[in-house]
Amino acid sequence: MSLHYDLHSHSRASDGTLTATELVQRACAVGVDVLALTDHDSVDGLAEARAAAARTPLRLIAGVEVSVTWNAQTVHIVGLNVDPDNAAFRAGLDGLQTFRDWRAEEIGRRLDKAGIADAYAGARRFASGRIVSRTHFAHFLVEQGRAHSVREVFKKFLVNNKPGYVPGEWATLEDALAWIHAAGGEAVVAHPARYSLTATKLRRLLGEFKDCGGAAIEVVSGSHSTDDMLRMAGVARALGLRASRGSDYHGPENPWVELGRIPPLPEDCIPVWQSWDVPAMAVNQ
Ligand code: AMP
Ligand code: MN
Ligand code: MN
Ligand code: MN
């Protein structure tokens, strides 16, 4: 019997809205067999997720989604089967968290200048974990009636050339992969069709990713269209990369992305999990 994999999801440790326990329960309820928790720049939700999964048949994969700057673009690299206690990996994530803290305060200062007071404190209120994300600012600005939806807030305030946008440098591609590999994990390019990169630039990114030992790209993603999926299946095949599948679930407020509700990998893809000994690796204790 083939297992149902969802290898990209978020909890309240970053910008998801469910606790790790609720996320695991929902994964079971919707029929996911193997779930990766991949919070942004944090592994803080993994202990709770693992404890919750131990009470269910779900196999939990310890993951992360690392923020990277490549060629002045933000790119997300998912790490799967990482050891959350590895020192080099943790030091890398700590650096990103420090940058996030500064950036959050700077977003607050810039929004203040644009006439929106107390946004930093407001965003903090929506952040239940260590990570402050633009998503938390978006929740605050929706609450304040500055926009109708999170999407609209991003468009009006939080993207390049808008008042709350703060440019900055995340990890380098090389460092992100080195941290993931130090932690014994495999690296996957998240939602590759979502970046504003030409086909040539995307291939350059994926070429460098492969040179750094990268394993796979998300062919199936909650933010890919069918066309994106087929295109990325072709890219994976052409570059000899394996394929991953993840919803990028953030919580029930986002009704267009449900945990586990993603198409199967196209037949000609080599799944990232092909070489995994799933029952052996996902020891739920
Ligand atoms: P950050 O890592 O703090 O810069 O925030 C990035 C997160 O914001 C992503 O992981 C998404 O969850 C969310 N996000 C980015 N762009 C958008 C958008 N246009 N609409 C809604 N959410 C977005
Ligand atoms: Mn997010
Ligand atoms: Mn992402
Ligand atoms: Mn994500």
Side-chain angles (χ1 to χ4, degrees):
M1 199 194 73
S2 78
L3 297 173
H4 184 169
Y5 287 80
D6 189 334
L7 299 179
H8 189 151
S9 70
H10 297 274
S11 76
R12 286 165 75 157
S14 64
D15 61 350
T17 54
L18 297 185
T19 64
T21 303
E22 290 164 345
L23 183 77
V24 163
Q25 287 165 347
R26 192 174 184 104
C28 291
V30 300
V32 169
D33 299 302
V34 185
L35 174 76
L37 173 59
T38 56
D39 274 309
H40 297 287
D41 308 323
S42 169
V43 287
D44 291 349
L46 288 176
E48 183 186 321
R50 195 172 286 164
R55 302 189 289 270
T56 75
L58 185 89
R59 298 88 184 284
L60 182 82
I61 302 295
V64 68
E65 183 174 11
V66 180
S67 307
V68 161
T69 302
W70 181 83
N71 243 3
Q73 271 270 334
T74 300
V75 168
H76 287 170
I77 304 293
V78 161
L80 297 174
N81 288 307
V82 289
D83 167 10
D85 297 324
N86 176 270
F89 173 60
R90 286 299 279 262
L93 298 186
D94 282 350
L96 292 176
Q97 293 178 5
T98 304
F99 173 66
R100 267 186 186 282
D101 290 341
W102 171 82
R103 184 190 68 154
E105 290 181 41
E106 182 62 19
I107 292 175
R109 284 189 288 269
R110 291 188 187 205
L111 288 175
D112 193 61
K113 277 191 198 138
I116 301 169
D118 302 323
Y120 174 68
R124 274 265 175 220
R125 207 162 25 81
F126 282 94
S128 16
R130 170 81 183 74
I131 293 296
V132 190
S133 156
R134 282 184 294 165
T135 309
H136 301 123
F137 281 92
H139 288 152
F140 170 70
L141 290 173
V142 170
E143 180 199 67
Q144 297 295 302
R146 299 285 180 162
H148 295 295
S149 66
V150 165
R151 258 183 199 186
E152 195 189 335
V153 179
F154 269 88
K155 239 195 193 147
K156 278 171 74 175
F157 299 102
L158 299 176
V159 294
N160 203 358
N161 297 320
K162 298 296 168 180
Y165 180 73
V166 176
E169 294 282 312
W170 298 107
T172 64
L173 185 66
E174 233 180 342
D175 282 349
L177 267 73
W179 302 335
I180 290 167
H181 293 151
E186 290 185 299
V188 179
V189 176
H191 40 69
R194 226 176 66 190
Y195 308 118
S196 354
L197 295 171
T198 59
T200 313
K201 279 258 173 77
L202 180 65
R203 282 190 182 231
R204 233 183 76 208
L205 164 69
L206 298 179
E208 287 180 28
F209 170 76
K210 208 182 164 196
D211 289 344
C212 294
I217 64 174
E218 285 181 351
V219 167
V220 171
S221 161
S223 56
H224 282 178
S225 65
T226 305
D227 187 58
D228 292 335
M229 172 182 82
L230 296 173
R231 207 154 37 86
M232 289 308 133
V235 169
R237 199 172 47 241
L239 297 181
L241 289 162
R242 282 182 284 148
S244 188
R245 173 174 192 263
S247 63
D248 204 0
Y249 182 75
H250 280 72
E253 301 72 20
N254 245 2
W256 54 90
V257 178
E258 177 55 272
L259 202 54
R261 201 174 62 201
I262 32 177
L265 281 183
E267 296 246 321
D268 54 356
C269 290
I270 302 170
V272 65
W273 57 82
Q274 193 190 47
S275 56
W276 297 359
D277 181 2
V278 169
M281 352 190 36
V283 187
N284 287 334
Q285 41 251 341

